[in-house]
Each structure stands twice: as structure tokens, then as C-alpha cells.
Amino acid sequence: MDGLPEDLSDSTQRPDSDNDQRLYFVPYRWWKDAQDSMSGDSGSKKAVVYSASPGSSYAGPMKLINNIFSLDLVFNLRREEDSEQRENGEVGVSGRDYALVPGEMWVQALRWHSDSKVATKNGKSFSAAEDISDVYPLKLRLSVLREMNSLGVRICKKENAGELFKRACKIFSIESELLRIWDFSGQTTLFFTNEKNKFLKDCQRHSDHDIVLELQVYGLSDSVKYKDVKKDESSQNPGLANSSSSPSVNGSMGNMNCNFSRTNSAEAGSLGLTGLQNLGNTCFMNSALQCLAHTPKLVDYFLGDYGREINHKNPLGMDGEIALAFGDLLRKLWAPGASPVAPRLFKSKLARFAPQFSGYNQHDSQELLAFLLDGLHEDLNRVKCKPYVEAKDGDGRPDGEVADEYWQNHLARNDSIIVDVCQGQYKSTLVCPVCKKVSKTFDPFMYLSLPLPSTTMRTMTLTVLNTSGNTEPSPYTITVPKYGKCDDLLQALGIACSLGADETLLVAEIYNSRIIRYLEERADSLSLIRDDDRLVAYRLAKDTEKVPLVEFMHQRMEEQNIHGKLISSWKAFGVPLVARLCESVNGSDIYNLYLKLLNPFRIPAEDATEDYHISEGTTTEEVTGIEGAKSPFVVGDVDPSKANGIVSASDAELQFYLTDEKGIIKHSKLVMNEPVAVMGVSRRLHVLVCWPETQIEHYNTHLLSSLPEVFKSGFYAKRPQESVSLYKCLEAFLQEEPLGPEDMWYCPGCKKHCQAVKKLDLWRLPEILVIHLKRFSYSRFLKNKLETYVDFPIDNFELSPYIALRNGQSCNSYMLYAVSNHYGSMGGGHYTAFVHQGGDQWYELDDSHVYPISQEKIKSSAAYVLFYRRVVEV
């Protein structure tokens, strides 16, 4: 036979095209390369295509009741209807396509590969005949499922030697529906037609529905030398063409003593670039898993013999089940030619040990990542018996000595691959504001959660009302951080309106001419204020903050046409007026205070005779008229200084009622000389003022009612999205800040809890640095996602200036290798992952789909968790 060496001329080793009538199972692309180049009938032979799926209905006599507990491998092969179109227009490139060919055709393909010498490895040519020893038998039991146009396949462990069964499980692992078999022999068609021929006679028949078929598997052993990556595919994808003689992951070089064979990227093609099926809102899990599955040292570790380090005695662990499930999943992702994997086993283990992730709701990828890293650490903790370690105070010792002591104490109880790779140490300093006691601790960290400084600004318009009675309302437009606090608003507004040192602002939201809430909590988020809200800031004296507050609400009589009839009713109008009261007031005090607040809205009188001095008014008369009556509210004994000494005759017709905070219920009318009690914890008095029509014309009610929205779209051009540097986020994390009231520190000097000042510093950094960007914020009323664009470095993240321990590490420069992204809003959205795979090549892993992506697209406002690895100095 041409092209085959002399030592294979013996009939026991040499395949004979005339005698070999066996059925061969080979890689589809290996067969396709030869078929496309050969002429004759064999080169144009059509195929019947079958797609594989999990076998739940094996119809043979040894039908499985529940193959979950069976050691046998069961699956179905369903015939595809468009087999000819697939054959003509589609070439299997997934690595999960196989061909069934008769012996004579296999020999011709083998000769073609031998002659052309296209099988290469590391630049050295190999004869295809050297792989003849790679042929091994495999027995399959087939049953015909005519109603489903399918074949039931069962591979029994009893009928195949241990090593052969393992190979079969690897070849036919049905994790998705992407495994296809192309039958060029035409023999499977006979199973459906029951035609008798030589092939079926040679097959052992167990019964009418059970066929024992022996295949000759070629090119699929672990030692196969030929990797069918076409030259044109390599040239189109540089990531597939890069090769290295040493195994590596993301540039991490080193020796690998593992029992899971990894080949270089030229052999593997898309090694490690395997998708994860979405089981139902599990994109958050897939994103985090893909980032960890491309973490260099973790990949090397879990592809090795990690089982010997599983700690079954750790009460904080999960008996190694999480580590085993993760390791098994990672191996599937890194298997050569793997198709998208369904992480069902890992999901079930996760739900068992972390019930918060059970079900199919959307969750946070960072929360999953935190649990998984901690769970892997405890499952793989090399410390079987943790010693008791008591933390000691520094007592004036050098920081380096104290930090090393803390770190050694930590390692005495925690020693795992996660600690080796992912854990660092930071210095925490607390200072008591009273006795100035300083406390220093050096704690480990698994990741850094960095806040996002608010750089996207927000334009807000508020109306300032002066309670002095001599200034009209003034709207002010200010710019504040979009996700700032109410304190930011008050400071900016105070500067805009030239607030005095003895003055303060009381901000309220107005709706339907009522105050629906006061914005008194300075720590509340500005996200609680909507653009269509209407806000008023009342300018008050600062030294009267504990004095009772009075709110004046206004009503006027309006006529409405209801079913052809004019009906008069009271309707609220205008902006409520607010002022401070004295401790003891009567009706006259409240009346004159209201006139004082109305003064800026008064229209100058053309006829001075309409005005008269209050001192010339009549004696006091109690008004007892019914609601809406025209009986005048006659005023007497009123201090003229409180109303500038003059009041309109029509002012006396205003009617005042004590009411509730909504101004709906009229409790009682005010009587001039009778005291008015301020009731309630809020120390606020609500007064409803009813205006007659004769009064409306004397005041500018339009000015009283005019109140702009916080932000009117179209008034201001939309600002471009601003960005914040990752370094700024780190500086915000490390800056000094007081502890909140809920995080009080017990000072050993004062012997009491206090709001100490806290300062963090990075002390030692891990090899793998995980950075969590705190995009999700929470308040008492709502949850919010920050869409701030973070400009993070990709190639050179230099952290030396931020390290307190200057001489502890020779290199503090990091390189980005993975990103977990979140797109969408707080209540939903979608997670994906970006991973680096050699050179400048990046890939996007979106559940089952894997796409190449340019480095320019890595940075976006969707970046949520960043994964960096330390750059190794050459």
C-alpha cells in the first residue's frame, strides 16, 4: 500500500481495503479533509446526520428505569431531516462532530493523510500510519425508536474494558445537543428498514430490537498526535495560531505535574473557551465561574491532583463537595474540543450549601464569587486542626513586626490554594475622637470592594422662600453629585442663595399645594428626589430650630360645572408658607405672622384710601360664623409692628382654621386673643387659610403658586457621561472616614463605644487581585445601580504608591485577565464575562456563546468585578 511503511505490511497490522468491512468511528474533520481532496465515488458519498441528546427512552430489552444511578452510558441519536443541506453547506468545526465510515473508505483517507503529511506537531511531520495503533474497539447496544426517528444507544461498562469505557464517556458526554454523528456508511439506515445484508448478519443480535455493534474508534485516544486545526482557521484567528512548547494559562508559565493532560494552544485550538449553558437566570453564576476558570494558578491546580488536599474534617467546609463540583466543571471547560457545558451538578451543590442561590432567580455574581472563594478555601484547607490564636495589640511595636505576626497567625489556621493565590492583607487604623487612642490591626482580604465616587453631576432647581417677609421667592439652579446626599444639596444651595451664618434651610417637597415630606435627614440619598418633584427651601433663623413650626396652607372658593350645575367648593392653591412660632401664641400672633409672610406677594394698592391703620380698627369680636360664611373676621388689639402697621380692609375677611397635616379637616377657627396650643411630637401647627374672592385680587397668586420642577428636560443640554479612574475608586476606599452610628467602636481607653475615625492601607497584595466595583446602592426606600463609567487599566495597574509595606514585594504591577459584566437595571439585567487568552486576544463568554472581542471593548460602564494577576518580572 503506497505511503505506508514497510513494518506495517504484515496483514495483522495493515488495513486491507478489500477485506476490512468493519465500521470506523473517526473525527469528522479528519475524514472531511481527505474526502474533499479525493476523487471518485467515495469523495462524493452523502451522509445521514444524527444529533445526540440525553437518552431517557432506551427501548432495548435491558431498558433503564433510571439511568442516573446506572454506570452505563445512555443517549439517543435522532436523525436530522436536512442531512443533505448540512452535508453540502456546513462543515463540522465544533470538535464534537464524528463520522462513521466503512473500512475501505477509512483506508483511503488514511493513505491520503499519510501521503500529504498534513498531520504535524510542534513543527515536526508524522506519518499517519504511526497512528494505526490508535485504533481500538468499542461495543454499542442499539435499539430502533421508529416513532421518534431515533436510535437508542447504550454503552455498557461490562462489555468494554475500563480504559475503553472511560474514553467512551469522554467522547459521548452529552452535555448539550451539539454532538453530531455523520454516517457515510449507509448502515444505520438499514436499522430502520430491517433490510438483511452482510453487515447486519455480522452484527450480533440480542433480540428484535437490540443490536450489539462493534465500532473501530480511530483518532480519539488521549495520545492522538494529529489535531485537526486547519491552516486557514489558524490564520483567521490569531488566538488559535499562537503556540508554546510549555503549557500555560493566560501567560502563567510553569511545570505541570497533573493527571489531566493539557496541550498547547496550537493543538487545542479553543482550549478553555467553552460556554456554560444558562439553566434559567444562571448568567450571574456563569459569569463568575468563567472568570475563576481562567484564573491561571487555579486552572493548573484543579487540572492537577487536587483531590488529595480536600479537607473532610473541616466543620466550616462542605466535605469537599463544592471543591469537587467546581473541579469537575473546570475540567469539562478545559477539555479539548468541549462543547457548552450544563453546570447542573455544580448548581445543585450550590443550592444545597447556599440556599440563597437555590431556585432560578437572578442573583449577584460578586456575592456568589465571595461564597465560592470562601467555600473552596474551607474545602481545601490544608490545616486539619486549627490552633487557637489570640490577637495581640501592637503596644508600640513596629508595624512590620505586628503585620507579620497577624499574617502568621492567619496562616496557622488557613492554608489553601485560595490563600496562596487570592488573599492579601490590609492595615486598619482606628483613632478615638475623645482620648485619641490608636488601634492597629492587620486583617486578610479575599477581594477589594471599591466605592464609586460620584462624578456624574445632576442639575436641580429649588425655590427659596424667605420668612422675613421682605423678599420674593427666588428659584436657584444648582449642580450636585447625581448620587450624592441631601447634605450636598444643602451646601450647594446655601452657597447659591448666600445663606448667612445664623441661618438654616428647611427643604420640603410640595405636591397639590401640600407639604408631603421634609428632607431633614442630611445623609439621605439624592436619588430619592425625582426630576418632576417640586422642592421649596424655607430660609429660617438657625437659633430657632427647636421652636415650634407653623405651616400655612391656602384655599379659595372655585365654581365647577357638574352635570350642568355650578357647584362652589374650596380648593387648595399656592405654596404653603412656613415660619417659626414663639412658645406661647394666640390667634392674633398667627394672623399677623401670616400677613408678614404674604407681604412679598402683595400687589401695590392704587387707592391709598383702601388702607387704614390697624390701630384705628374696631374692638375684638369673636367670629362664630359657619364654614364659608361671609362674616368678616374683625381684628383688634393687634401689634401694628407685626404687619408693618397697615392692613387691607379685605384682609380681615381671611378665615383661619386649625387643621391636619393634609389640610383636609377643619378642626376649629382661631380666636384672636385665645391662646393656641402646639400639640404633637413634631411640634408643628397646621393652619388652613380660606381666601374670599375679594382677597385674591390684592395678591399675586401666580407668584405664590409658581413652583418649578427639580429638573425640566430640554432646559439643559444632556451632559456627556463622565468617567472616574479606578485609582480614584481605590483612593476613596483608602481615605480616612468616621464610622457610622451603626458601626460604633469600643474604645479601650474611654471604656465606651464611639464613632472612631477609620483609615485603611494596603499592606500586602495577593498574586490574583479581585476588585469589586460597588455599583449597587441601597437605601430605606429603593435600590439603585450606578452606571458610572470606570476607567480601569488593562496592561499596567501599578499599585506601588498605595502599598504601606514598601519593601515587602518586588513587583506591585498587575494585568487584567477577566471581567464580570452586568448589563441592565437593579431588578434584572444580564451577566457576561470577558477573558484574556494570550497576546492581545480577548473573548466574550455569554452563557453558551463564545465570541472574540477587541481589547477596545473591554472597558464599559457594565464592568462589575475585575480580575488582575501580578506581572512577573523578567
Side-chain angles (χ1 to χ4, degrees):
M1 182 180 296
D2 295 340
L4 296 180
E6 296 294 335
D7 57 355
L8 293 179
S9 59
D10 187 271
S11 61
T12 59
Q13 299 183 31
R14 172 181 170 179
D16 191 313
S17 61
D18 296 328
N19 299 323
D20 193 355
Q21 296 301 315
R22 294 176 295 180
L23 194 62
Y24 284 78
F25 187 84
V26 299
Y28 175 81
R29 283 181 292 178
W30 179 89
W31 158 253
K32 186 68 174 175
D33 287 346
Q35 184 191 39
D36 290 344
S37 302
M38 292 186 297
S39 59
D41 294 338
S42 62
S44 60
K45 194 170 184 65
K46 301 299 181 180
V48 178
V49 185
Y50 296 88
S51 60
S53 60
S56 58
S57 57
Y58 179 76
M62 301 178 67
K63 180 178 179 180
L64 298 176
I65 302 301
N66 191 343
N67 63 0
I68 296 178
F69 301 99
S70 173
L71 296 177
D72 296 341
L73 181 62
V74 179
F75 59 96
N76 293 336
L77 292 176
R78 181 176 180 82
R79 182 170 177 171
E80 298 185 358
E81 299 298 333
D82 56 343
S83 299
E84 290 189 6
Q85 288 152 354
R86 285 193 178 278
E87 170 65 9
N88 293 332
E90 182 175 340
V91 177
V93 294
S94 68
R96 301 282 286 168
D97 287 51
Y98 306 99
L100 282 174
V101 297
E104 59 181 14
M105 298 174 66
W106 175 75
V107 170
Q108 294 177 16
L110 189 67
R111 180 188 294 113
W112 181 86
H113 280 288
S114 176
D115 292 341
S116 60
K117 298 181 186 285
V118 295
T120 61
K121 180 177 181 181
N122 293 334
K124 180 181 177 182
S125 297
F126 285 78
S127 171
E130 294 179 37
D131 279 341
I132 292 180
S133 60
D134 188 46
V135 178
Y136 58 87
L138 189 65
K139 288 186 178 181
L140 284 70
R141 286 185 174 269
L142 305 179
S143 63
V144 179
L145 311 175
R146 292 185 179 85
E147 69 280 4
M148 299 174 61
N149 200 24
S150 301
L151 291 174
V153 183
R154 179 181 176 192
I155 303 177
C156 301
K157 192 171 184 180
K158 293 181 179 179
E159 298 176 348
N160 296 276
E163 183 61 25
L164 297 182
F165 183 79
K166 290 181 180 179
R167 292 181 180 183
C169 290
K170 184 175 180 181
I171 295 171
F172 297 105
S173 59
I174 310 298
E175 292 291 345
S176 68
E177 297 183 356
L178 297 180
L179 187 149
R180 289 182 300 190
I181 297 178
W182 305 63
D183 180 20
F184 292 90
S185 69
Q187 302 300 330
T188 56
T189 306
L190 303 180
F191 298 159
F192 295 94
T193 60
N194 285 325
E195 292 180 16
K196 304 297 181 180
N197 55 30
K198 185 177 185 299
F199 179 80
L200 283 178
K201 291 178 181 178
D202 292 340
C203 292
Q204 299 177 8
R205 298 191 55 89
H206 189 278
S207 72
D208 291 340
H209 299 287
D210 196 359
I211 306 168
V212 178
L213 177 65
E214 181 172 293
L215 299 179
Q216 304 301 315
V217 181
Y218 169 75
L220 295 173
S221 71
D222 293 338
S223 61
V224 63
K225 300 180 179 64
Y226 173 77
K227 296 295 178 181
D228 39 44
V229 178
K230 289 186 178 180
K231 293 181 179 180
D232 57 343
E233 293 171 358
S234 300
S235 62
Q236 292 175 9
N237 191 343
L240 302 183
N242 294 335
S243 63
S244 172
S245 58
S246 301
S248 65
V249 180
N250 296 336
S252 174
M253 309 298 293
N255 296 328
M256 283 178 43
N257 297 319
C258 61
N259 53 13
F260 186 95
S261 176
R262 287 173 58 196
T263 55
N264 59 54
S265 58
E267 291 181 330
S270 58
L271 193 66
L273 297 175
T274 306
L276 285 169
Q277 293 183 26
N278 193 320
L279 306 179
N281 279 333
T282 57
C283 59
F284 76 97
M285 180 181 74
N286 293 347
S287 175
L289 288 174
Q290 290 287 13
C291 292
L292 286 183
H294 286 81
T295 298
K297 289 294 182 67
L298 292 185
V299 175
D300 294 344
Y301 179 83
F302 281 100
L303 294 186
D305 187 16
Y306 69 94
R308 56 189 175 84
E309 290 196 343
I310 290 180
N311 189 338
H312 296 281
K313 298 181 180 180
N314 187 357
L316 299 179
M318 286 150 276
D319 198 29
E321 292 192 43
I322 284 292
L324 289 171
F326 177 77
D328 178 68
L329 181 62
L330 187 142
R331 289 178 176 229
K332 290 180 180 178
L333 292 176
W334 281 89
S339 60
V341 178
R344 292 187 178 88
L345 175 61
F346 180 85
K347 177 71 168 62
S348 65
K349 298 294 183 183
L350 181 68
R352 175 184 172 189
F353 294 106
Q356 66 269 29
F357 298 115
S358 61
Y360 296 95
N361 293 324
Q362 185 67 278
H363 294 280
D364 191 318
S365 68
Q366 187 273 332
E367 292 178 0
L368 170 68
L369 182 69
F371 166 80
L372 183 55
L373 286 175
D374 185 67
L376 291 175
H377 159 65
E378 296 296 351
D379 271 1
L380 299 169
N381 197 345
R382 304 178 186 109
V383 179
K384 308 303 181 185
C385 182
K386 296 185 178 183
Y388 172 75
V389 178
E390 184 176 358
K392 298 179 182 179
D393 195 76
D395 293 330
R397 292 181 293 163
D399 286 350
E401 179 182 335
V402 179
D404 288 342
E405 181 180 282
Y406 269 82
W407 188 247
Q408 292 304 318
N409 290 343
H410 175 67
L411 295 182
R413 296 172 54 85
N414 303 276
D415 181 19
S416 69
I417 181 64
I418 304 299
V419 175
D420 298 342
V421 175
C422 300
Q423 285 197 353
Q425 186 182 33
Y426 61 76
K427 171 186 173 183
S428 176
T429 305
L430 293 172
V431 180
C432 176
V434 180
C435 68
K436 305 303 178 183
K437 167 69 177 176
V438 178
S439 174
K440 297 180 181 179
T441 57
F442 295 83
D443 302 311
F445 67 85
M446 196 91 72
Y447 52 87
L448 297 178
S449 289
L450 305 187
L452 301 186
S454 296
T455 58
T456 302
M457 307 304 289
R458 178 183 183 184
T459 299
M460 302 180 70
T461 300
L462 294 87
T463 302
V464 176
L465 271 69
N466 200 321
T467 57
S468 63
N470 53 21
T471 305
E472 290 184 355
S474 300
Y476 290 90
T477 299
I478 58 175
T479 302
V480 294
K482 185 176 181 181
Y483 301 105
K485 306 295 183 183
C486 287
D487 186 62
D488 299 320
L489 182 148
L490 292 173
Q491 291 186 23
L493 187 59
I495 294 173
C497 70
S498 302
L499 192 69
D502 59 344
E503 292 180 302
T504 187
L505 293 172
L506 179 62
V507 180
E509 180 182 346
I510 310 298
Y511 181 74
N512 283 343
S513 299
R514 301 285 185 264
I515 295 176
I516 61 173
R517 63 166 173 157
Y518 288 99
L519 280 67
E520 296 181 284
E521 294 293 334
R522 303 178 77 95
D524 278 353
S525 173
L526 291 180
S527 60
L528 300 175
I529 302 174
R530 299 171 300 181
D531 286 344
D532 58 351
D533 289 343
R534 301 177 188 271
L535 299 184
V536 168
Y538 298 101
R539 197 165 182 163
L540 304 170
K542 183 179 290 185
D543 56 358
T544 60
E545 290 185 357
K546 296 184 180 180
V547 176
L549 192 74
V550 59
E551 297 178 8
F552 291 103
M553 291 168 275
H554 328 285
Q555 279 189 350
R556 62 186 296 181
M557 185 67 71
E558 287 191 356
E559 291 183 344
Q560 291 180 317
N561 191 333
I562 301 178
H563 303 298
K565 295 182 179 180
L566 292 178
I567 305 296
S568 298
S569 61
W570 292 101
K571 184 177 180 180
F573 75 97
V575 178
L577 301 178
V578 173
R580 296 290 182 185
L581 289 173
C582 299
E583 284 295 338
S584 64
V585 293
N586 57 28
S588 299
D589 297 326
I590 293 176
Y591 179 84
N592 285 284
L593 178 58
Y594 183 66
L595 293 182
K596 178 182 175 181
L597 297 176
L598 276 182
N599 194 54
F601 305 96
R602 184 174 177 80
I603 300 174
E606 296 180 2
D607 187 357
T609 59
E610 293 184 6
D611 298 332
Y612 69 100
H613 288 276
I614 292 180
S615 57
E616 299 175 358
T618 60
T619 59
T620 302
E621 177 181 341
E622 180 177 345
V623 180
T624 58
I626 62 172
E627 179 181 328
K630 294 296 183 180
S631 301
F633 186 3
V634 183
V635 182
D637 298 331
V638 178
D639 186 356
S641 64
K642 294 185 179 180
N644 297 327
I646 298 177
V647 74
S648 170
S650 60
D651 288 340
E653 299 178 11
L654 296 172
Q655 301 178 44
F656 292 73
Y657 295 88
L658 295 181
T659 184
D660 62 334
E661 60 183 11
K662 296 182 179 180
I664 297 177
I665 303 174
K666 297 177 181 178
H667 294 299
S668 61
K669 280 188 177 181
L670 294 183
V671 180
M672 288 302 95
N673 287 335
E674 290 188 7
V676 178
V678 181
M679 307 295 291
V681 180
S682 63
R683 302 271 291 165
R684 286 172 185 162
L685 185 68
H686 301 90
V687 178
L688 181 63
V689 183
C690 297
W691 290 50
E693 286 301 318
T694 57
Q695 182 70 6
I696 300 297
E697 62 186 21
H698 294 285
Y699 290 90
N700 187 348
T701 55
H702 174 74
L703 179 62
L704 182 62
S705 303
S706 178
L707 196 59
E709 295 179 356
V710 168
F711 178 80
K712 189 70 173 178
S713 58
F715 283 6
Y716 302 93
K718 185 177 181 180
R719 294 173 175 266
Q721 184 183 35
E722 299 181 43
S723 65
V724 59
S725 167
L726 183 60
Y727 290 106
K728 291 294 183 183
C729 298
L730 181 60
E731 290 167 4
F733 174 74
L734 298 176
Q735 73 180 1
E736 185 178 279
E737 62 178 358
L739 295 177
E742 67 280 0
D743 296 320
M744 303 281 275
W745 173 62
Y746 182 80
C747 175
C750 299
K751 305 297 183 183
K752 63 179 182 180
H753 288 87
C754 63
Q755 285 185 266
V757 177
K758 184 178 182 180
K759 175 72 171 69
L760 292 178
D761 293 287
L762 299 178
W763 190 259
R764 71 178 82 225
L765 294 176
E767 182 174 340
I768 300 298
L769 179 62
V770 180
I771 294 180
H772 163 226
L773 302 176
K774 297 172 71 173
R775 291 197 176 276
F776 300 111
S777 62
Y778 306 87
S779 67
R780 292 178 297 174
F781 303 101
L782 52 81
K783 301 176 182 179
N784 185 51
K785 181 191 175 185
L786 308 181
E787 297 287 354
T788 306
Y789 174 85
V790 178
D791 186 11
F792 50 87
I794 294 179
D795 295 322
N796 186 23
F797 185 31
E798 183 55 55
L799 293 176
S800 295
Y802 302 94
I803 305 298
L805 180 60
R806 296 294 180 181
N807 58 353
Q809 293 158 340
S810 58
C811 180
N812 292 308
S813 181
Y814 285 79
M815 179 179 183
L816 186 74
Y817 71 88
V819 181
S820 176
N821 302 299
H822 179 268
Y823 300 91
S825 62
M826 183 75 187
H830 181 62
Y831 286 91
T832 67
F834 294 152
V835 298
H836 180 248
Q837 187 86 340
D840 293 331
Q841 186 61 57
W842 285 81
Y843 291 88
E844 179 179 7
L845 293 96
D846 183 358
D847 289 333
S848 300
H849 307 287
V850 181
Y851 312 99
I853 185 174
S854 64
Q855 183 169 298
E856 292 74 22
K857 295 183 179 180
I858 299 303
K859 297 182 182 182
S860 73
S861 58
Y864 183 42
V865 184
L866 308 175
F867 293 77
Y868 284 92
R869 63 178 179 84
R870 180 183 284 119
V871 177
V872 180
E873 291 183 330
V874 181

